[in-house]
């Protein structure tokens, strides 16, 4: 049975991609694993380098390349980026490479974020080139360099997708053998009017090739950032799902007594994956007592003692989109008077600043940070902290980090995209005020050693934010009622 793609060649490109399917594939030597392959083979019986709908219908819906994100959306991203650049431009992306923990032991592979955003292709040893060929939105050619099928090597390393799937599944207009990149790349890249690339190391084939060219080059990252920073409805849906599951897991953790930080850490990792997420989005902070004052404490090897609070900064990932949540709660289920006062002060400011994350407010993250500092000064002064209105160093000691950052494919998303940018509909950010009281006589004795941080992930909308992590309870009464 012929590919549906072949039947759609008369349609405009965007319709081809929107309707493309591959229920069966004709036999092709790139897929063959025996001397006498059948004349046609079901896609469900093939092995690819990542889940596809035909092999993993429990993970993907028809048309999706990665969970929640369709082939059409990946194509639209490439077309929009190319359309924003000068005529004849080429965007060049190098995949991430497998990283080794020690000897032959490797870390789980994670694709480079810009490569992932524009292709959905999840394999190492790959290069993507997006060529703007004309002035129309659809005047774009997608080249994908990747590994050809190799049954012998795949027996050892697991399957990868191959050149035919690069075209039929991932919608490359032209697929190239990555082992021939040093011969093919120079010819292709010399036809560009300008190359947009974040230069890889000179030790890589791409790095060597790029440095040998005289074609003008520009840094790619700022151009991709402007698109990645504003999330589509599909991206927001992924992050909402990650926030919902993660929030419920954290609330569930609050119901239980924990003696050791590592047990709470392991419970959250399990709860995220048990409920359909791919796993934790980052190494969590599980900090009992005074260790909560260390912003990125991730040893998670000590105890959770009765009478203390535990600060947990954790979140799960779905379809490569993350959620970022922090909650602080009493180990024994009930706040002391001082803990409740400090927690309530931070919560009041956090709620106020979450409400500012709307497009109609016309504020940036930097401006919301200044509002956070002002609010914390006011609330802490009411609790007996002195000198905060006249001594910035005191405030810096109590609140040493920014109130928020962008989130998306990365925990700190779109690196280089400024916090001074006015928030617009589709920006996704965190709001995370915190107070970390040193054991210092400058501060009230009954608060010394305490740490409170409260963080939600949210999406900016026109008139009110969409809180993505609302299932993680944070009101004092709700936390205490869990036990």
């Amino acid at each position: 049975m012929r590919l549906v793609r072949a039947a759609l060649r008369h349609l405009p490109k965007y319709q081809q991609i929107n309707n493309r399917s591959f229920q069966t594939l004709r036999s092709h030597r790139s897929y063959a694993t025996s001397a006498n392959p059948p004349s046609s083979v079901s896609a469900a019986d093939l092995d690819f380098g990542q889940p596809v709908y035909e092999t993993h219908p429990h993970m993907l819906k028809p048309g999706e390349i990665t969970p929640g994100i369709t082939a059409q959306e990946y194509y639209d991203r490439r077309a929009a980026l190319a359309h924003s650049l000068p005529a004849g431009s080429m965007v060049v992306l190098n995949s991430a490479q497998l990283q080794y923990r020690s000897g032959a032991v490797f870390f789980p592979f994670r694709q480079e974020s810009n490569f992932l955003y524009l292709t959905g292709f999840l394999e190492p040893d790959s290069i993507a080139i997006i060529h703007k060929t004309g002035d129309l939105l659809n005047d774009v050619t997608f080249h994908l360099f990747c590994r050809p099928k190799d049954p012998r090597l795949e027996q050892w390393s697991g399957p990868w997708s191959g050149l035919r799937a690069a075209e039929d599944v991932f919608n490359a207009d032209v697929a190239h053998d990555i082992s021939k990149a040093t011969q093919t790349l120079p010819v292709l890249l010399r036809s560009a009017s300008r190359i947009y690339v974040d230069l890889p190391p000179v030790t890589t084939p791409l790095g060597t090739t790029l440095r040998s060219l005289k074609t003008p080059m520009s840094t790619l990252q700022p151009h991709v950032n402007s698109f990645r920073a504003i999330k589509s409805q599909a991206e927001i849906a992924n992050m909402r799902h990650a926030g919902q599951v993660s929030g419920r897991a954290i609330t569930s953790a609050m119901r239980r007594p924990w003696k050791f930080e590592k047990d709470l850490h392991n419970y959250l990792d399990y709860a995220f994956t048990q409920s359909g997420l791919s796993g934790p989005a980052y190494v969590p902070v599980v900090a009992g007592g005074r260790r909560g004052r260390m912003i990125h404490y991730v040893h998670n090897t000590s105890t959770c003692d009765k009478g203390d609070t535990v600060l947990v900064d954790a979140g799960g990932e779905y379809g490569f989109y993350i959620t970022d949540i922090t909650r602080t709660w009493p180990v024994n289920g009930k706040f002391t008077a001082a803990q409740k006062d400090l927690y309530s002060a931070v919560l009041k400011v956090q709620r106020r600043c979450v409400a500012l994350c709307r497009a109609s407010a016309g504020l940036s993250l930097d401006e919301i940070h200044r509002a956070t500092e002002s609010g914390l000064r006011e609330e802490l002064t009411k609790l007996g902290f002195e000198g905060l209105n006249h001594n910035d160093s005191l405030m810096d000691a109590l609140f040493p980090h920014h109130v928020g950052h962008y989130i998306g494919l990365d925990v700190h998303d779109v690196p280089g995209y400024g916090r001074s940018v006015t928030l617009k509909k589709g920006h996704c950010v965190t709001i995370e005020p915190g107070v970390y009281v040193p054991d210092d006589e400058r501060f009230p004795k009954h608060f010394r050693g305490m740490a409170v941080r409260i963080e939600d992930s949210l999406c900016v909308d026109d008139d009110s934010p969409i809180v993505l992590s609302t299932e993680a309870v944070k009101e004092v009464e709700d936390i205490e009622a869990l036990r």
Side-chain angles (χ1 to χ4, degrees), residues 20-23 43-44 46-72 74 116 119-122 161 169-170 234 238 241 276 278 318-321:
R20 186 174 297 172
S21 178
F22 57 105
Q23 294 298 326
L46 297 173
D47 292 320
F48 298 90
Q50 66 192 73
V52 299
Y53 167 69
E54 280 75 8
T55 61
H56 291 69
H58 58 289
M59 294 179 62
L60 296 164
K61 296 176 182 177
E64 291 181 348
I65 295 294
T66 58
I69 309 298
T70 63
Q72 181 68 53
Y74 281 113
L116 170 59
T119 70
F121 191 65
L122 305 181
S161 296
V169 181
F170 300 98
N238 276 5
H241 181 63
S278 57
Y318 179 72
F320 303 97
Y321 288 85

Side-chain angles (χ1 to χ4, degrees), residues 61-371:
K61 296 176 182 177
E64 291 181 348
I65 295 294
T66 58
I69 309 298
T70 63
Q72 181 68 53
E73 180 156 341
Y74 281 113
Y75 172 78
D76 290 342
R77 292 171 179 179
R78 294 191 294 271
L81 174 62
H83 191 63
S84 71
L85 301 176
S89 296
M90 285 189 183
V91 171
V92 181
L93 302 119
N94 204 34
S95 70
Q97 296 305 313
L98 193 64
Q99 300 296 314
Y100 286 83
R101 178 176 177 179
S102 64
V105 179
F106 50 83
F107 289 104
F109 177 76
R110 203 281 189 179
Q111 187 59 276
E112 194 276 327
S113 292
N114 286 338
F115 195 104
L116 170 59
Y117 177 78
L118 290 166
T119 70
F121 191 65
L122 305 181
E123 296 184 29
D125 302 318
S126 306
I127 298 169
I129 296 177
I130 302 166
H131 185 194
K132 180 176 181 178
T133 57
D135 294 328
L136 299 178
L137 181 60
N138 295 322
D139 288 340
V140 56
T141 300
F142 173 32
H143 298 259
L144 184 57
F145 289 76
C146 59
R147 299 169 294 184
K149 296 293 285 183
D150 188 326
R152 184 181 63 84
L153 291 179
E154 291 175 65
Q155 181 181 11
W156 286 93
S157 302
W160 52 72
S161 296
L163 302 182
R164 178 78 180 276
E167 296 180 355
D168 291 340
V169 181
F170 300 98
N171 300 304
D173 296 291
V174 186
H176 305 268
D177 184 341
I178 190 67
S179 68
K180 299 177 182 177
T182 54
Q183 295 83 38
T184 309
L185 272 172
V187 177
L188 178 60
L189 294 176
R190 285 193 187 105
S191 65
S193 62
R194 178 171 290 273
I195 295 172
Y196 290 83
V197 63
D198 298 319
L199 278 173
V202 69
T203 53
T204 64
L206 179 59
T208 301
T209 298
L210 288 168
R211 287 167 175 84
S212 71
L213 299 176
K214 296 181 180 180
T215 308
M217 297 187 193
S218 298
T219 302
L220 173 62
Q221 186 74 47
H223 300 276
V224 182
N225 279 354
S226 63
F227 291 96
R228 277 183 56 186
I230 303 296
K231 304 299 187 285
S232 69
Q233 289 302 309
E235 292 176 291
I236 294 168
N238 276 5
M239 296 171 72
R240 176 69 185 102
H241 181 63
Q244 183 180 58
V245 172
S246 301
R248 289 173 180 173
I250 291 171
T251 296
S252 176
M254 292 183 193
R255 299 179 186 275
R256 307 182 181 201
W258 300 99
K259 184 176 180 180
F260 298 105
E261 293 169 349
K262 69 176 179 63
D263 291 340
L264 177 48
H265 176 162
N266 291 335
Y267 172 80
L268 290 170
D269 283 358
Y270 169 75
F272 295 156
T273 54
Q274 181 196 37
S275 301
L277 303 187
S278 57
Y282 51 92
V283 179
V285 173
V286 181
R290 60 183 177 81
R291 290 173 297 282
R293 292 182 297 160
M294 292 177 272
I295 311 303
H296 289 151
Y297 169 85
V298 293
H299 290 182
N300 305 342
T301 54
S302 195
T303 58
C304 301
D305 300 324
K306 291 182 179 180
D308 284 343
T309 57
V310 60
L311 187 154
V312 172
D313 186 337
E317 179 181 280
Y318 179 72
F320 303 97
Y321 288 85
I322 68 96
T323 193
D324 192 355
I325 306 171
T326 304
R327 293 293 185 264
T328 308
W329 70 86
V331 172
N332 63 4
K334 188 171 179 61
F335 289 96
T336 66
Q339 289 168 353
K340 183 182 292 187
D341 285 344
L342 188 63
Y343 182 92
S344 297
V346 175
L347 179 60
K348 184 175 182 179
V349 174
Q350 201 256 359
R351 284 197 302 252
R352 188 185 306 164
C353 292
V354 166
L356 296 176
C357 294
R358 59 187 193 276
S360 59
L363 299 175
S364 66
L365 275 176
D366 280 342
E367 289 170 313
I368 294 173
H369 178 78
R370 290 191 283 272

Side-chain angles (χ1 to χ4, degrees), residues 404-445:
H405 54 82
Y406 302 100
I407 53 173
L409 287 172
D410 294 309
V411 179
H412 287 252
D413 207 38
V414 287
Y417 190 79
R419 289 184 171 111
S420 61
V421 175
T422 300
L423 293 179
K424 301 175 183 177
K425 182 176 181 178
H427 276 129
C428 291
V429 300
T430 66
I431 293 295
E432 49 180 310
V435 172
Y436 316 87
V437 187
D439 189 5
D440 188 320
E441 63 183 9
R442 295 177 298 171
F443 306 108
K445 185 175 181 178

